[in-house]
Coordinates of all heavy atoms in Angstrom, one line a residue:
M1 N -1.2 9.1 -25.7 CA -2.1 9.4 -24.7 C -1.6 9.0 -23.3 O -1.1 8.1 -23.2 CB -3.4 8.6 -25.0 CG -4.3 8.6 -23.9 SD -5.6 7.4 -23.9 CE -4.9 5.9 -23.3
T2 N -1.7 9.9 -22.4 CA -1.3 9.6 -21.1 C -2.6 9.5 -20.3 O -3.6 10.0 -20.4 CB -0.6 10.8 -20.4 OG1 0.6 11.2 -21.2 CG2 -0.3 10.6 -18.9
L3 N -2.5 8.4 -19.5 CA -3.7 8.0 -18.7 C -3.6 8.4 -17.2 O -2.6 8.1 -16.6 CB -3.9 6.5 -18.7 CG -5.2 5.9 -18.1 CD1 -6.5 6.2 -19.0 CD2 -5.1 4.3 -18.0
R4 N -4.5 9.2 -16.8 CA -4.5 9.7 -15.3 C -5.3 8.9 -14.5 O -6.6 8.6 -14.9 CB -4.9 11.1 -15.3 CG -4.8 11.6 -13.8 CD -4.6 13.1 -13.7 NE -3.2 13.5 -14.0 CZ -2.9 14.7 -14.3 NH1 -3.8 15.6 -14.4 NH2 -1.7 14.9 -14.7
H5 N -4.9 8.2 -13.5 CA -5.5 7.4 -12.5 C -5.8 8.2 -11.2 O -4.8 8.6 -10.6 CB -4.6 6.2 -12.2 CG -5.2 5.2 -11.2 ND1 -6.3 4.5 -11.3 CD2 -4.5 4.9 -10.0 CE1 -6.4 3.7 -10.2 NE2 -5.3 3.9 -9.4
I6 N -7.0 8.4 -10.8 CA -7.3 9.1 -9.6 C -8.2 8.3 -8.6 O -9.2 7.7 -9.2 CB -8.0 10.5 -9.9 CG1 -7.2 11.4 -10.8 CG2 -8.4 11.3 -8.6 CD1 -8.0 12.5 -11.5
V7 N -7.7 8.1 -7.5 CA -8.5 7.3 -6.5 C -8.5 8.3 -5.2 O -7.6 8.8 -4.8 CB -7.7 6.0 -6.1 CG1 -8.6 5.1 -5.3 CG2 -7.6 5.1 -7.5
T8 N -9.8 8.1 -4.6 CA -10.0 8.9 -3.3 C -10.5 7.9 -2.4 O -11.2 7.0 -2.6 CB -11.0 10.1 -3.5 OG1 -12.2 9.5 -3.8 CG2 -10.5 11.0 -4.5
W9 N -10.2 8.1 -1.0 CA -10.7 7.4 0.1 C -11.0 8.2 1.2 O -10.3 9.4 1.4 CB -9.7 6.3 0.7 CG -9.1 5.4 -0.3 CD1 -9.7 4.1 -0.7 CD2 -7.9 5.5 -1.1 NE1 -8.8 3.6 -1.6 CE2 -7.7 4.4 -1.8 CE3 -7.0 6.6 -1.2 CZ2 -6.6 4.2 -2.7 CZ3 -5.8 6.3 -1.9 CH2 -5.7 5.1 -2.7
T10 N -11.8 7.8 2.2 CA -12.0 8.4 3.5 C -11.2 7.5 4.4 O -11.5 6.2 4.5 CB -13.6 8.5 3.8 OG1 -14.2 9.3 2.8 CG2 -13.8 9.1 5.3
L11 N -10.6 8.0 5.4 CA -9.9 7.4 6.5 C -10.9 6.9 7.4 O -11.9 7.4 7.8 CB -8.8 8.3 7.1 CG -7.6 8.6 6.0 CD1 -6.9 9.7 6.6 CD2 -6.8 7.5 5.7
A12 N -10.5 5.7 8.0 CA -11.5 5.0 8.9 C -11.3 5.4 10.4 O -12.4 5.4 11.0 CB -11.2 3.5 8.8
S13 N -10.3 5.8 10.9 CA -10.2 6.1 12.2 C -11.1 7.3 12.6 O -11.2 8.3 12.0 CB -8.7 6.4 12.6 OG -8.6 6.8 13.9
D14 N -11.5 7.2 13.9 CA -12.4 8.4 14.5 C -11.4 9.4 15.2 O -11.9 10.5 15.5 CB -13.4 7.8 15.4 CG -14.6 7.2 14.8 OD1 -14.9 7.5 13.6 OD2 -15.1 6.3 15.4
D15 N -10.2 9.1 15.2 CA -9.2 9.8 16.1 C -8.5 10.7 15.0 O -7.8 10.2 14.2 CB -8.2 9.0 16.9 CG -7.3 9.8 17.5 OD1 -7.5 10.5 18.6 OD2 -6.1 9.8 17.1
A16 N -8.5 12.1 15.3 CA -7.9 13.0 14.4 C -6.3 12.8 14.2 O -5.9 12.8 13.1 CB -8.1 14.5 14.8
A17 N -5.6 12.5 15.2 CA -4.3 12.3 15.2 C -4.0 11.1 14.3 O -3.0 11.0 13.5 CB -3.6 12.3 16.6
Q18 N -4.7 10.0 14.6 CA -4.5 8.7 13.9 C -4.9 8.9 12.4 O -4.2 8.3 11.7 CB -5.4 7.6 14.5 CG -5.1 6.3 13.9 CD -3.7 5.8 14.1 OE1 -3.2 5.7 15.3 NE2 -3.0 5.5 13.1
R19 N -5.9 9.6 12.0 CA -6.2 10.0 10.8 C -5.0 10.5 10.0 O -4.7 10.2 9.0 CB -7.5 10.8 10.5 CG -8.9 9.9 10.8 CD -10.0 10.8 10.4 NE -10.1 12.1 10.8 CZ -10.6 12.5 11.9 NH1 -11.1 11.6 12.8 NH2 -10.6 13.8 12.3
R20 N -4.5 11.6 10.7 CA -3.3 12.4 10.1 C -2.1 11.4 9.8 O -1.6 11.3 8.8 CB -2.9 13.5 10.9 CG -1.9 14.4 10.4 CD -2.3 15.0 9.0 NE -1.4 15.6 8.2 CZ -1.6 16.5 7.3 NH1 -2.9 16.7 7.0 NH2 -0.7 17.0 6.7
A21 N -1.8 10.6 10.9 CA -0.8 9.6 10.7 C -1.0 8.6 9.5 O -0.2 8.2 8.8 CB -0.6 8.9 12.1
D22 N -2.2 8.0 9.5 CA -2.8 7.1 8.6 C -2.6 7.7 7.1 O -2.1 7.2 6.1 CB -4.1 6.7 8.7 CG -4.2 5.7 9.9 OD1 -3.2 5.3 10.5 OD2 -5.4 5.6 10.4
A23 N -3.0 9.1 7.0 CA -2.9 9.9 5.7 C -1.4 9.9 5.2 O -1.1 9.7 4.2 CB -3.6 11.2 5.9
E24 N -0.6 10.3 6.3 CA 0.8 10.4 5.9 C 1.4 9.1 5.6 O 2.3 9.0 4.7 CB 1.6 11.1 7.1 CG 1.2 12.4 7.4 CD 1.6 13.4 6.4 OE1 2.4 13.2 5.5 OE2 1.2 14.6 6.3
G25 N 0.8 8.0 6.1 CA 1.3 6.6 5.8 C 1.1 6.2 4.5 O 1.7 5.6 3.6
V26 N -0.2 6.7 4.0 CA -0.7 6.4 2.6 C 0.2 7.2 1.7 O 0.7 6.5 0.7 CB -2.3 6.7 2.5 CG1 -2.6 6.9 1.0 CG2 -3.2 5.9 3.2
R27 N 0.5 8.3 2.0 CA 1.2 9.2 1.1 C 2.7 8.8 0.9 O 3.2 8.6 -0.2 CB 1.3 10.8 1.6 CG 2.3 11.5 0.7 CD 2.5 13.0 1.4 NE 1.4 13.8 1.0 CZ 0.9 14.8 1.8 NH1 1.7 15.3 2.8 NH2 -0.1 15.7 1.4
A28 N 3.2 8.4 2.1 CA 4.7 7.8 1.9 C 4.8 6.6 1.2 O 5.6 6.5 0.4 CB 5.1 7.6 3.4
R29 N 3.8 5.7 1.4 CA 3.9 4.4 0.6 C 3.6 4.6 -0.8 O 4.3 3.9 -1.6 CB 2.9 3.4 1.3 CG 3.5 2.9 2.6 CD 2.4 2.2 3.3 NE 2.9 1.6 4.6 CZ 3.0 2.3 5.7 NH1 2.8 3.7 5.8 NH2 3.5 1.7 6.9
L30 N 2.8 5.4 -1.2 CA 2.2 5.4 -2.6 C 3.4 6.4 -3.3 O 3.7 6.0 -4.5 CB 0.8 6.1 -2.8 CG -0.2 5.1 -2.4 CD1 -1.7 5.7 -2.5 CD2 -0.2 3.7 -3.0
V31 N 3.6 7.5 -2.8 CA 4.7 8.3 -3.6 C 6.1 7.5 -3.7 O 6.8 7.7 -4.7 CB 4.9 9.7 -2.8 CG1 6.1 10.5 -3.2 CG2 3.6 10.4 -2.9
A32 N 6.4 6.6 -2.7 CA 7.6 5.9 -2.9 C 7.5 5.0 -4.0 O 8.6 4.3 -4.4 CB 7.8 5.1 -1.5
L33 N 6.4 4.7 -4.7 CA 6.4 3.7 -5.8 C 7.0 4.3 -7.0 O 7.4 3.5 -7.8 CB 4.9 3.4 -6.0 CG 4.2 2.6 -5.0 CD1 2.7 2.5 -5.2 CD2 4.8 1.3 -4.6
K34 N 7.1 5.6 -7.2 CA 7.8 6.2 -8.3 C 9.2 5.7 -8.2 O 10.0 5.9 -7.2 CB 7.6 7.7 -8.3 CG 8.2 8.3 -9.6 CD 8.0 9.7 -9.7 CE 8.4 10.3 -11.0 NZ 8.0 11.7 -11.2
G35 N 9.7 5.2 -9.3 CA 11.1 4.8 -9.4 C 11.3 3.3 -9.2 O 12.2 2.7 -9.5
I36 N 10.1 2.7 -8.5 CA 10.1 1.3 -8.2 C 9.2 0.5 -9.2 O 9.6 -0.5 -9.7 CB 9.6 1.1 -6.7 CG1 10.7 1.5 -5.7 CG2 9.5 -0.4 -6.5 CD1 10.3 1.5 -4.3
V37 N 8.0 1.3 -9.4 CA 7.0 0.6 -10.5 C 7.3 1.3 -11.7 O 7.2 2.6 -11.9 CB 5.6 0.9 -10.0 CG1 4.6 0.3 -11.0 CG2 5.3 0.2 -8.6
P38 N 8.0 0.6 -12.7 CA 8.5 1.3 -13.9 C 7.4 2.0 -14.7 O 7.8 3.0 -15.5 CB 9.1 0.1 -14.8 CG 9.3 -1.0 -13.7 CD 8.2 -0.8 -12.6
S39 N 6.1 1.6 -14.7 CA 5.1 2.3 -15.5 C 4.6 3.6 -14.9 O 4.0 4.4 -15.7 CB 4.0 1.3 -15.6 OG 3.4 0.9 -14.5
I40 N 5.0 4.0 -13.8 CA 4.6 5.2 -13.3 C 5.3 6.3 -13.9 O 6.6 6.4 -13.8 CB 4.8 5.3 -11.7 CG1 3.9 4.3 -11.0 CG2 4.5 6.8 -11.2 CD1 4.0 4.3 -9.5
I41 N 4.6 7.3 -14.5 CA 5.2 8.5 -15.1 C 5.4 9.5 -13.9 O 6.4 10.1 -13.7 CB 4.4 9.1 -16.2 CG1 4.5 8.1 -17.3 CG2 4.9 10.5 -16.5 CD1 3.5 8.5 -18.5
D42 N 4.4 9.7 -13.3 CA 4.3 10.6 -12.1 C 3.2 10.2 -11.0 O 2.3 9.5 -11.5 CB 4.0 12.0 -12.4 CG 4.3 13.1 -11.5 OD1 5.2 12.7 -10.5 OD2 3.8 14.1 -11.6
I43 N 3.4 10.5 -9.9 CA 2.4 10.1 -8.8 C 2.4 11.1 -7.7 O 3.5 11.6 -7.3 CB 2.6 8.6 -8.3 CG1 1.5 8.2 -7.3 CG2 4.0 8.4 -7.6 CD1 1.5 6.7 -7.0
D44 N 1.3 11.4 -7.1 CA 1.2 12.4 -5.9 C 0.1 11.9 -5.1 O -1.0 11.3 -5.5 CB 1.1 13.8 -6.4 CG 1.5 14.7 -5.4 OD1 2.1 14.4 -4.1 OD2 1.2 15.9 -5.5
V45 N 0.1 12.3 -3.8 CA -0.9 11.9 -3.0 C -1.3 13.3 -2.2 O -0.5 14.0 -1.8 CB -0.6 10.9 -1.9 CG1 -1.6 10.8 -0.9 CG2 -0.3 9.6 -2.6
V46 N -2.6 13.6 -2.2 CA -3.2 14.8 -1.7 C -4.0 14.4 -0.4 O -4.7 13.5 -0.4 CB -4.1 15.5 -2.6 CG1 -4.7 16.8 -2.0 CG2 -3.4 15.9 -4.0
I47 N -3.7 15.2 0.6 CA -4.4 14.9 1.9 C -5.4 16.1 2.1 O -4.8 17.3 2.2 CB -3.3 14.8 3.2 CG1 -2.5 13.6 2.9 CG2 -4.1 14.7 4.5 CD1 -1.4 13.5 3.8
D48 N -6.5 15.9 2.3 CA -7.4 16.9 2.6 C -7.1 17.8 3.8 O -6.9 17.1 4.9 CB -9.0 16.5 2.7 CG -10.0 17.7 2.8 OD1 -10.1 18.1 3.9 OD2 -10.4 17.9 1.6
E49 N -6.9 19.1 3.6 CA -6.7 19.9 4.7 C -7.9 20.8 5.4 O -7.6 21.5 6.2 CB -5.5 20.9 4.3 CG -4.3 20.2 3.8 CD -3.5 19.4 4.9 OE1 -3.7 19.9 6.1 OE2 -2.7 18.7 4.6
V50 N -8.9 20.5 4.8 CA -10.1 21.5 5.1 C -11.1 20.8 6.0 O -11.3 21.2 7.2 CB -10.8 22.1 3.9 CG1 -12.0 22.9 4.2 CG2 -9.8 22.9 3.0
D51 N -11.7 19.7 5.4 CA -12.7 19.0 6.3 C -12.8 17.5 5.9 O -13.8 17.1 5.2 CB -14.1 19.7 6.1 CG -15.1 19.1 6.9 OD1 -14.8 18.4 7.9 OD2 -16.3 19.5 6.9
E52 N -11.7 16.9 6.1 CA -11.6 15.4 5.8 C -12.7 14.5 6.3 O -12.6 13.3 5.9 CB -10.2 14.8 5.9 CG -9.4 15.2 7.1 CD -9.8 14.5 8.3 OE1 -10.1 13.3 8.2 OE2 -9.7 15.1 9.4
R53 N -13.4 14.8 7.3 CA -14.4 13.9 7.8 C -15.7 13.9 7.0 O -16.5 13.1 7.2 CB -14.7 14.3 9.4 CG -13.6 13.9 10.4 CD -13.0 12.6 10.1 NE -14.1 11.6 10.7 CZ -13.9 10.4 10.5 NH1 -12.9 9.9 9.9 NH2 -14.9 9.5 10.9
T54 N -15.9 15.0 6.3 CA -17.1 15.1 5.4 C -16.8 14.9 3.9 O -17.7 14.9 3.1 CB -17.9 16.4 5.6 OG1 -17.0 17.5 5.3 CG2 -18.5 16.5 7.0
T55 N -15.5 14.9 3.6 CA -15.1 14.6 2.1 C -14.2 13.5 2.2 O -13.9 12.8 3.2 CB -14.5 15.8 1.6 OG1 -13.3 16.1 2.3 CG2 -15.3 17.1 1.6
N56 N -13.7 13.2 1.0 CA -12.7 12.1 0.9 C -11.4 12.7 1.5 O -11.1 13.8 1.3 CB -12.4 11.7 -0.6 CG -13.6 10.8 -1.1 OD1 -14.1 10.0 -0.3 ND2 -14.0 11.0 -2.3
S57 N -10.8 11.8 2.4 CA -9.6 12.3 3.0 C -8.4 12.3 2.3 O -7.4 13.2 2.6 CB -9.4 11.4 4.2 OG -10.7 11.1 4.9
V58 N -8.2 11.5 1.3 CA -6.9 11.2 0.8 C -7.3 11.0 -0.8 O -8.2 10.2 -1.1 CB -6.3 10.0 1.3 CG1 -4.7 9.9 0.6 CG2 -5.8 10.2 2.8
A59 N -6.4 11.4 -1.7 CA -6.4 11.2 -3.2 C -5.1 10.8 -3.6 O -4.1 11.5 -3.3 CB -7.1 12.2 -3.8
V60 N -5.0 9.8 -4.5 CA -3.8 9.7 -5.3 C -4.1 9.9 -6.7 O -5.2 9.6 -7.2 CB -3.4 8.1 -5.2 CG1 -4.4 7.0 -5.7 CG2 -2.0 7.9 -5.9
V61 N -3.2 10.6 -7.3 CA -3.2 11.0 -8.7 C -2.0 10.4 -9.4 O -0.9 10.8 -9.0 CB -3.3 12.5 -8.9 CG1 -3.3 12.7 -10.4 CG2 -4.5 13.1 -8.2
A62 N -2.2 9.6 -10.3 CA -0.9 8.9 -10.9 C -1.2 9.0 -12.4 O -2.2 8.7 -12.9 CB -0.8 7.5 -10.4
D63 N 0.1 9.1 -13.2 CA 0.0 9.1 -14.7 C 0.8 7.9 -15.2 O 1.8 7.6 -14.7 CB 0.6 10.4 -15.1 CG -0.2 11.6 -14.8 OD1 -1.5 11.6 -14.6 OD2 0.3 12.8 -14.7
F64 N 0.1 7.3 -16.2 CA 0.8 6.2 -16.9 C 0.8 6.4 -18.4 O -0.1 7.2 -18.9 CB 0.0 5.0 -16.5 CG -0.1 4.6 -15.1 CD1 -1.1 5.2 -14.3 CD2 0.9 3.9 -14.5 CE1 -1.1 4.9 -12.9 CE2 0.9 3.6 -13.1 CZ -0.1 4.1 -12.4
A65 N 1.4 5.8 -19.2 CA 1.6 6.0 -20.6 C 0.3 5.5 -21.2 O -0.2 6.1 -22.2 CB 2.8 5.2 -21.3
D66 N -0.3 4.4 -20.6 CA -1.6 3.8 -21.3 C -2.0 2.8 -20.3 O -1.5 2.7 -19.1 CB -1.0 3.0 -22.6 CG 0.1 2.1 -22.3 OD1 0.3 1.7 -21.3 OD2 0.8 1.9 -23.5
A67 N -3.2 2.2 -20.7 CA -3.9 1.2 -19.8 C -3.0 0.1 -19.5 O -3.0 -0.5 -18.2 CB -5.2 0.8 -20.6
A68 N -2.1 -0.3 -20.2 CA -1.3 -1.4 -20.0 C -0.3 -1.0 -18.8 O 0.0 -1.8 -17.8 CB -0.4 -1.8 -21.1
G69 N 0.2 0.1 -18.7 CA 0.9 0.8 -17.7 C 0.3 0.7 -16.3 O 0.8 0.3 -15.3
L70 N -1.1 1.0 -16.4 CA -1.9 1.0 -15.3 C -2.1 -0.4 -14.7 O -2.0 -0.6 -13.5 CB -3.2 1.8 -15.6 CG -4.3 1.7 -14.4 CD1 -3.7 2.4 -13.1 CD2 -5.6 2.4 -14.9
E71 N -2.3 -1.2 -15.7 CA -2.5 -2.7 -15.2 C -1.2 -3.2 -14.6 O -1.3 -3.9 -13.7 CB -2.9 -3.5 -16.4 CG -4.3 -3.2 -17.0 CD -4.6 -3.7 -18.3 OE1 -3.9 -4.7 -18.7 OE2 -5.7 -3.3 -18.9
A72 N -0.1 -2.9 -15.2 CA 1.2 -3.4 -14.5 C 1.4 -2.9 -13.2 O 1.8 -3.5 -12.3 CB 2.4 -2.9 -15.5
Y73 N 0.9 -1.5 -13.0 CA 1.0 -0.9 -11.6 C 0.2 -1.7 -10.7 O 0.6 -2.0 -9.4 CB 0.6 0.5 -11.8 CG 0.3 1.3 -10.4 CD1 1.1 1.7 -9.6 CD2 -1.2 1.4 -10.3 CE1 0.7 2.4 -8.5 CE2 -1.6 2.2 -9.1 CZ -0.6 2.6 -8.2 OH -1.1 3.4 -7.2
A74 N -1.0 -2.0 -11.0 CA -2.0 -2.6 -10.3 C -1.5 -4.0 -9.6 O -1.9 -4.2 -8.6 CB -3.3 -2.9 -11.0
V75 N -0.8 -4.7 -10.3 CA -0.4 -6.0 -10.0 C 1.1 -6.1 -9.5 O 1.6 -7.1 -9.1 CB -0.5 -7.1 -11.0 CG1 -2.0 -7.2 -11.4 CG2 0.4 -6.7 -12.4
H76 N 1.7 -4.9 -9.5 CA 3.2 -4.8 -9.2 C 3.3 -5.2 -7.7 O 2.5 -4.6 -6.8 CB 3.8 -3.5 -9.3 CG 5.2 -3.5 -9.3 ND1 6.0 -3.4 -7.9 CD2 6.3 -3.5 -10.1 CE1 7.1 -3.4 -8.2 NE2 7.5 -3.5 -9.3
P77 N 4.1 -6.0 -7.2 CA 4.3 -6.5 -5.8 C 4.4 -5.4 -4.7 O 3.8 -5.5 -3.7 CB 5.4 -7.5 -5.6 CG 5.7 -7.9 -7.1 CD 5.1 -6.8 -8.0
T78 N 5.1 -4.5 -5.1 CA 5.3 -3.2 -4.2 C 4.1 -2.4 -4.1 O 3.8 -1.8 -3.1 CB 6.6 -2.4 -4.6 OG1 7.7 -3.3 -4.8 CG2 6.9 -1.4 -3.6
H79 N 3.4 -2.2 -5.1 CA 2.0 -1.6 -5.1 C 1.0 -2.4 -4.3 O 0.3 -1.7 -3.5 CB 1.6 -1.3 -6.5 CG 0.1 -0.8 -6.5 ND1 -1.0 -1.7 -6.8 CD2 -0.4 0.3 -6.0 CE1 -2.1 -0.9 -6.6 NE2 -1.9 0.2 -6.1
L80 N 1.1 -3.8 -4.4 CA 0.2 -4.5 -3.5 C 0.6 -4.4 -2.1 O -0.5 -4.4 -1.3 CB 0.2 -5.9 -4.1 CG -0.3 -6.3 -5.4 CD1 -0.1 -7.8 -5.9 CD2 -1.6 -5.8 -5.6
E81 N 1.8 -4.1 -1.8 CA 2.1 -3.9 -0.4 C 1.5 -2.7 0.1 O 1.0 -2.6 1.2 CB 3.7 -4.1 -0.3 CG 4.3 -5.4 -0.3 CD 5.9 -5.3 -0.2 OE1 6.3 -4.3 0.2 OE2 6.4 -6.2 -0.7
A82 N 1.8 -1.6 -0.7 CA 1.2 -0.4 -0.4 C -0.2 -0.4 -0.2 O -0.9 0.2 0.7 CB 1.7 0.8 -1.3
A83 N -0.9 -1.1 -1.2 CA -2.4 -1.1 -1.2 C -2.9 -1.9 0.0 O -4.1 -1.6 0.6 CB -2.8 -1.9 -2.4
A84 N -2.1 -2.9 0.5 CA -2.6 -3.6 1.8 C -2.6 -2.6 3.0 O -3.5 -2.6 3.6 CB -1.6 -4.7 2.0
F85 N -1.6 -1.6 3.1 CA -1.7 -0.6 4.1 C -2.9 0.2 3.8 O -3.5 0.4 4.9 CB -0.4 0.1 4.2 CG -0.5 1.2 5.2 CD1 -0.3 1.0 6.4 CD2 -0.8 2.6 4.7 CE1 -0.4 2.0 7.4 CE2 -0.9 3.6 5.7 CZ -0.7 3.3 7.0
V86 N -3.1 0.7 2.7 CA -4.1 1.6 2.4 C -5.4 1.0 2.8 O -6.3 1.6 3.5 CB -4.1 2.0 0.9 CG1 -5.4 2.8 0.6 CG2 -3.0 2.8 0.6
G87 N -5.6 -0.3 2.4 CA -6.9 -1.0 2.7 C -7.1 -1.2 4.3 O -8.2 -1.2 4.7
S88 N -6.0 -1.2 5.0 CA -6.1 -1.3 6.6 C -6.4 0.0 7.3 O -6.8 0.0 8.3 CB -4.9 -2.0 7.1 OG -3.8 -0.8 7.1
V89 N -6.4 1.1 6.6 CA -6.5 2.4 7.3 C -7.8 3.3 6.7 O -8.1 4.3 7.2 CB -5.2 3.2 7.3 CG1 -4.2 2.6 8.1 CG2 -4.8 3.9 6.0
V90 N -8.2 2.9 5.5 CA -9.5 3.6 4.9 C -10.7 2.8 5.0 O -10.7 1.6 5.2 CB -9.1 3.8 3.5 CG1 -7.8 4.7 3.2 CG2 -9.1 2.5 2.5
N91 N -11.8 3.6 4.8 CA -13.1 2.9 4.8 C -13.2 2.6 3.3 O -13.3 3.3 2.3 CB -14.1 4.0 5.0 CG -15.6 3.5 4.7 OD1 -15.7 2.4 4.3 ND2 -16.6 4.2 5.2
T92 N -13.0 1.2 2.9 CA -12.9 0.7 1.7 C -14.3 1.1 0.9 O -14.1 1.2 -0.5 CB -12.6 -0.7 1.5 OG1 -13.5 -1.5 2.3 CG2 -11.2 -1.0 2.0
A93 N -15.4 1.2 1.6 CA -16.6 1.4 0.8 C -16.6 2.9 0.3 O -17.4 3.2 -0.5 CB -17.8 1.3 1.8
S94 N -15.6 3.8 0.8 CA -15.7 5.1 0.3 C -14.8 5.3 -0.9 O -14.8 6.3 -1.4 CB -15.0 6.0 1.4 OG -13.7 5.8 1.5
R95 N -14.2 4.2 -1.5 CA -13.3 4.3 -2.5 C -14.1 4.9 -3.8 O -15.1 4.3 -4.2 CB -12.7 3.0 -2.8 CG -11.6 3.1 -4.0 CD -11.0 1.7 -4.2 NE -9.9 1.7 -5.3 CZ -10.2 1.7 -6.6 NH1 -11.3 1.6 -7.1 NH2 -9.2 1.8 -7.5
T96 N -13.5 5.8 -4.4 CA -13.9 6.2 -5.7 C -12.8 6.3 -6.8 O -11.6 6.6 -6.2 CB -14.7 7.6 -5.8 OG1 -13.7 8.6 -5.3 CG2 -15.9 7.6 -4.9
A97 N -12.9 6.0 -7.9 CA -11.8 6.1 -8.9 C -12.2 6.5 -10.2 O -13.4 6.3 -10.6 CB -11.1 4.5 -9.1
V98 N -11.4 7.2 -11.0 CA -11.5 7.5 -12.4 C -10.2 7.4 -13.0 O -9.2 7.8 -12.6 CB -12.1 9.1 -12.5 CG1 -11.2 10.0 -12.0 CG2 -12.7 9.3 -14.0
D99 N -10.4 6.8 -14.2 CA -9.1 6.7 -15.2 C -9.4 7.4 -16.5 O -10.3 7.0 -17.2 CB -8.8 5.2 -15.4 CG -8.5 4.5 -14.2 OD1 -7.5 5.0 -13.4 OD2 -9.2 3.6 -13.7
G100 N -8.7 8.5 -16.8 CA -9.0 9.1 -18.0 C -7.8 9.6 -18.8 O -6.7 9.9 -18.2
A101 N -8.0 10.0 -20.1 CA -6.9 10.5 -20.9 C -6.6 11.9 -20.6 O -7.6 12.7 -20.5 CB -7.3 10.4 -22.4
I102 N -5.4 12.3 -20.5 CA -5.1 13.6 -20.3 C -4.2 14.1 -21.5 O -3.5 13.4 -22.1 CB -4.4 14.1 -19.0 CG1 -3.2 13.2 -18.8 CG2 -5.5 13.7 -18.0 CD1 -2.2 13.7 -17.6

């Protein structure tokens, strides 16, 4: 069973250029985890291109072999560094997540 981890956030900045830069920063940091965090099978980040002020602005979609792989990702030091950046640019109250078998 492969476990798909999906998390979405709304970016915090009111400035459109800053939101775009923040979204790109989120993407760069999270996608870079592939090959560094051994349990990641695949990871991608989607930035809303239509109306990110009324929907979630950024989503990460990551696949793991199982829940243990997701747990290893959650505590990996490099992921924690990326998560600190994400936490600094998103509205943390907007976070939604789902983890399901695919």
